[in-house]
Amino acid sequence: MNKRDFIADDILSKIYQNKYKTGEKMPTERDLATQYEVSRYTIREALKKLVNIGCIKIVQGSGIFVNETRYKSPLIYNSLTENKFKDIQSEIIYLKKIVPDKNLEKIFDINGHHAKLWEYKRVRIVNYHKMQIETTRLPYSYFPDLNEEEIKKSVHDYVQQCDYQISHFITTYTPVNVTKEDAALLNCKKGVAAMKIINRGILQNGRVFEYSEMINLDYSVSYFTPFNPYSHKYRKK
């Protein structure tokens, strides 16, 4: 993901965490450029993306503001699937603790040498076909007892069992071709069409609890809906 897209996604995430509220002035281009350590041109390109999807408006001479129509953004959705969760299996590649880089520190709003994240990688299998490679990070301090058995099941169920309330997800889609490494995991040919999905899970308290990057052989339509753990269509993770 290039810097422009990362910044646009991060600002969008902060909007849905209510760090940037509707009607309130956001930081200036100069302040954002300093915060993300990029040029003002890169910031303008990121903001242009958010203007195009209707999340923010830029008023000349006044500043940058969050639109009231932000929930109509096509980048906001809950994962949906026609497959029931019992028909989805997980093959665990690894589970480990990592030290976050600068991008992950911004995503999870953490810093310091002692901050740690869980990182796991798994292959999702639907109807005996390998359909998705998922690499996910979660704050270690939130889930110190996470283990491979929980990852084989529903991580979102596990999050709620830990007394956290999930609010919504912010997701972006990018068409890609499967790499040689990913093709070996998915048992498919290198270069076949796929979808790269980047997903942020947001709790009711506004904190990011999950950052996932997925390579999916199936294409989906995205939209916004509040998290509903009882919906038969909701794809548990």
Side-chain angles (χ1 to χ4, degrees), residues 10-52:
D10 197 58
I11 292 174
L12 186 64
S13 176
K14 287 177 171 55
I15 289 172
Y16 282 87
Q17 293 173 67
N18 273 329
K19 292 186 177 180
Y20 301 142
K21 297 184 174 70
T22 302
E24 291 185 4
K25 186 183 293 188
M26 289 177 50
T28 64
E29 283 185 7
R30 186 184 301 276
D31 290 339
L32 290 170
T34 300
Q35 178 182 334
Y36 289 103
E37 300 178 347
V38 297
S39 68
R40 291 181 66 180
Y41 172 80
T42 300
I43 293 297
R44 280 194 290 272
E45 290 297 299
L47 293 177
K48 187 186 299 182
K49 181 176 179 179
L50 297 179
V51 169
N52 289 341

Side-chain angles (χ1 to χ4, degrees), residues 158-197:
Y158 176 74
V159 169
Q160 293 179 98
Q161 289 165 14
C162 293
D163 293 327
Y164 294 107
Q165 297 299 312
I166 299 173
S167 173
H168 58 276
F169 298 89
I170 297 175
T171 305
T172 59
Y173 295 87
T174 306
V176 295
N177 293 319
V178 174
T179 65
K180 181 179 180 180
E181 179 183 2
D182 289 342
L185 291 174
L186 291 170
N187 292 340
C188 67
K189 292 183 179 180
K190 173 187 173 183
V192 302
M195 188 70 77
K196 182 174 184 179
I197 305 170

